[in-house]
Amino acid sequence: MKKSKHPFLRWAGIVFLVLGLVYAGLVVAGNMAVRREKAAMEAAGFPMRPEQVIPAAIHERDNAAPLYNAAVKALKDVPFKGETSFDGVTVTSSNLFDHLGRTAVAVRKSPDDVEAAEKFDTLVRDPRVADFLASVERASALPGYRQENDYSKGAEMSLPHAPDNLTVSQVLAALALQQMRQGNTAAAWRTIEISFRFADTLRDEPLIISQLVRKSQQSIAIKAMRDAAAMAAPSDEVSQKIQKQLSLYDGDKSMALAQNGEMILMGEWVFSRPLPHVLKHVSTISSVSSPSNEDQKTSYFIRAFLSRWSAALFGPILQPWDHAAFLKARQAMLTGGERANPEKDLHSYHQNIPNLFVLYLLLLPSIQVANTNLTRVDSAAVVSRLGLAIIDYKKEHGAFPRDLQALGAQDLVDPYTGTPFVYRPEPNGFLLYSVGPDLTDDSGREYDHKKRKGDIVWRYQEGSGDSDATSG
């Protein structure tokens, strides 16, 4: 029998055949793992389809979003060149809306800046700004809010209303401060009520960025409320309305909504597209949501770098396994798809995931960092509810309560520990705080975002004109 003249070609063919079979086997097994995780999640009650998380359509007459959008657009359409300075930086605006927002930030950052206050007062008296504020007030009375977002675009989706919402919240907070200082107490508290209602407009938007914007708006409203309370306590009616609004700030449900939406709408988008296209968008998300602890940050970026190289070499094989790991993490982070579990250690999560799962490693930080931020604001909201109840108690009884039990609010506990908040009556005021994310009682020292240490504090002094109102 004649021997082959090309044994190399024969062996190369065998090698390629074996590699092809291994490749196909890994891809098939990975897809089966994805199906298993999806089946387990569906059996556990997790929403799995876009229509389960996308907010339902609402009637036009009940939808505040078009009114807010029209009010913002009306000011953006007015060309305006003006300079605003804060934190040592001077910024030039190109339209009236931007200038109004930046002036509001300057007023809030530097309450004693007379020039900024005068500029803001002049802007508020402008008929176009007055119309804008009246439109915002009318819109805040409507029961619904739904933007026409194209959720099918995943990470490419545009959300222009998100930064605009933050600007409107800044304007309302500055307006309340201005009204309070001018002695128009009733108008100031009405503006704060509007600010709290407006801050909750993004409640049903199932995206992490939307829930983070919502929580930032709530922080702005909480700070404005505390500053106003230090100058003049709200009436019982207003206090009850604000406490009711604050009771709606459920961090666990917000995080569950955001995680479910992100993992269905963004996750399915991510895992159904070519890896290079996805990495271009996901890298932007991960760059702003990586761990803040320096040691964890270094580890995270090293692992992300290694993951990108492994993905470039083995992406098609690894992508279904990456997807399965992502789904498994979702089950670990949520209880039945309805509530976020207590905060878990991001570093531990990462250490247990192979570097090969690039998309999982890039997506997870945005979810975990959002969870941290939402819990912090949720804690500030509960502290504010209790603080208002303490102020109401003082008005009724003539003195601040000796302890929190006198309020009959035993169900309001520190979200971080599940135990009562720390409360200390002080001369003409009180100190009330949560121990914060570091789970350590720092004796009421304000939370330091860089060091990630400290408490979520409200130190209230009657008639001080300035409340130490850290919202975390």
Side-chain angles (χ1 to χ4, degrees):
M1 187 174 178
K2 197 172 183 179
K3 292 186 178 180
S4 171
K5 295 181 179 180
H6 303 288
F8 172 78
L9 293 178
R10 183 182 61 185
W11 284 108
I14 293 173
V15 169
F16 277 115
L17 176 62
V18 171
L19 289 176
L21 291 172
V22 171
Y23 175 92
L26 287 172
V27 171
V28 169
N31 287 326
M32 290 175 64
V34 170
R35 286 196 291 272
R36 281 197 306 272
E37 295 299 336
K38 286 186 174 181
M41 293 176 71
E42 196 158 11
F46 283 78
M48 299 299 295
R49 298 181 299 279
E51 60 269 21
Q52 291 176 287
V53 293
I54 293 175
I58 57 179
H59 196 282
E60 185 178 351
R61 67 169 178 269
D62 296 327
N63 190 3
L67 287 180
Y68 286 123
N69 294 344
V72 169
K73 184 177 183 303
L75 290 191
K76 282 188 173 183
D77 287 344
V78 179
F80 192 97
K81 284 194 174 182
E83 292 186 345
T84 309
S85 298
F86 49 86
D87 291 342
V89 178
T90 300
V91 182
T92 302
S93 303
S94 59
N95 61 68
L96 186 54
F97 180 74
D98 288 346
H99 186 62
L100 176 65
R102 287 166 178 159
T103 306
V105 172
V107 167
R108 297 190 65 239
K109 282 182 172 288
S110 304
D112 298 325
D113 187 335
V114 176
E115 183 181 354
E118 289 177 349
K119 283 184 178 180
F120 187 74
D121 192 50
T122 300
L123 285 169
V124 170
R125 295 175 188 274
D126 186 312
R128 295 165 296 189
V129 175
D131 287 344
F132 163 79
L133 293 171
S135 295
V136 169
E137 183 170 3
R138 286 195 301 273
S140 72
L142 295 180
Y145 179 97
R146 188 183 191 276
Q147 295 283 355
E148 295 301 319
N149 301 324
D150 186 351
Y151 292 100
S152 66
K153 289 190 174 181
E156 297 173 312
M157 179 169 41
S158 175
L159 300 170
H161 59 283
D164 291 345
N165 278 23
L166 282 174
T167 298
V168 174
S169 286
Q170 294 281 10
V171 170
L172 292 172
L175 177 62
L177 175 63
Q178 197 89 326
Q179 290 168 329
M180 190 64 77
R181 288 183 168 176
Q182 292 171 351
N184 198 346
T185 304
W189 281 110
R190 185 170 65 250
T191 299
I192 290 170
E193 280 187 68
I194 294 169
S195 181
F196 274 105
R197 290 200 299 271
F198 178 66
D200 212 30
T201 51
L202 295 178
R203 162 180 292 276
D204 297 325
E205 209 161 271
L207 301 169
I208 284 178
I209 185 63
S210 300
Q211 294 305 315
L212 288 176
V213 168
R214 174 177 170 239
K215 290 301 177 181
S216 294
Q217 291 181 259
Q218 291 168 353
S219 292
I220 293 169
I222 287 170
K223 178 67 164 64
M225 180 275 292
R226 295 183 183 183
D227 287 343
M231 290 183 265
S235 67
D236 292 343
E237 180 184 1
V238 170
S239 178
Q240 291 302 314
K241 286 181 179 178
I242 293 176
Q243 288 181 60
K244 183 178 180 180
Q245 193 69 45
L246 287 167
S247 71
L248 301 176
Y249 294 2
D250 188 324
D252 287 343
K253 286 186 177 179
S254 298
M255 194 59 225
L257 173 70
Q259 286 185 22
N260 281 321
E262 203 81 6
M263 291 182 175
I264 294 173
L265 302 171
M266 296 295 181
E268 293 306 313
W269 180 89
V270 162
F271 290 107
S272 63
R273 280 161 176 75
L275 203 55
H277 179 73
V278 170
L279 288 175
K280 181 176 69 173
H281 294 278
V282 174
S283 59
T284 303
I285 299 172
S286 61
S287 67
V288 298
S289 58
S290 59
S292 56
N293 177 279
E294 288 302 320
D295 292 337
Q296 294 181 13
K297 184 181 289 187
T298 301
S299 173
Y300 164 75
F301 279 115
I302 290 174
R303 298 192 74 200
F305 174 78
L306 294 174
S307 297
R308 288 170 185 274
W309 277 100
S310 63
L313 295 172
F314 307 110
I317 301 176
L318 294 173
Q319 197 155 342
W321 293 100
D322 199 346
H323 193 178
F326 187 63
L327 293 170
K328 185 177 285 292
R330 182 179 167 201
Q331 296 177 68
M333 295 164 69
L334 294 171
T335 301
E338 296 178 352
R339 301 189 72 84
N341 285 331
E343 276 192 84
K344 299 184 186 296
D345 185 352
L346 175 62
H347 192 54
S348 297
Y349 256 125
H350 276 233
Q351 291 306 307
N352 293 326
I353 300 301
N355 290 333
L356 299 176
F357 295 163
V358 56
L359 295 177
Y360 176 96
L361 290 170
L362 291 175
L363 287 171
L364 181 63
S366 66
I367 296 171
Q368 281 297 112
V369 171
N371 195 6
T372 300
N373 292 337
L374 293 178
T375 304
R376 193 165 61 241
V377 178
D378 192 41
S379 177
V382 184
V383 167
S384 297
R385 284 178 66 190
L386 275 175
L388 286 172
I390 293 169
I391 294 171
D392 290 345
Y393 183 98
K394 166 65 163 52
K395 286 190 292 184
E396 182 178 352
H397 298 278
F400 291 106
R402 291 186 177 182
D403 53 46
L404 295 178
Q405 291 181 345
L407 302 176
Q410 287 80 0
D411 59 320
L412 297 182
V413 295
D414 190 333
Y416 289 103
T417 63
T419 60
F421 290 91
V422 180
Y423 167 71
R424 296 175 193 150
E426 295 183 343
N428 302 316
F430 60 80
L431 174 65
L432 178 67
Y433 61 90
S434 154
V435 298
D438 65 352
L439 303 180
T440 302
D441 187 340
D442 294 296
S443 301
R445 191 177 74 246
E446 295 178 24
Y447 185 77
D448 186 316
H449 291 266
K450 291 183 179 179
K451 296 180 179 178
R452 301 183 72 188
K453 290 188 66 63
D455 303 321
I456 312 299
V457 182
W458 187 3
R459 175 173 276 111
Y460 172 79
Q461 291 293 316
E462 280 185 308
S464 65
D466 184 22
S467 176
D468 181 359
T470 303
S471 63

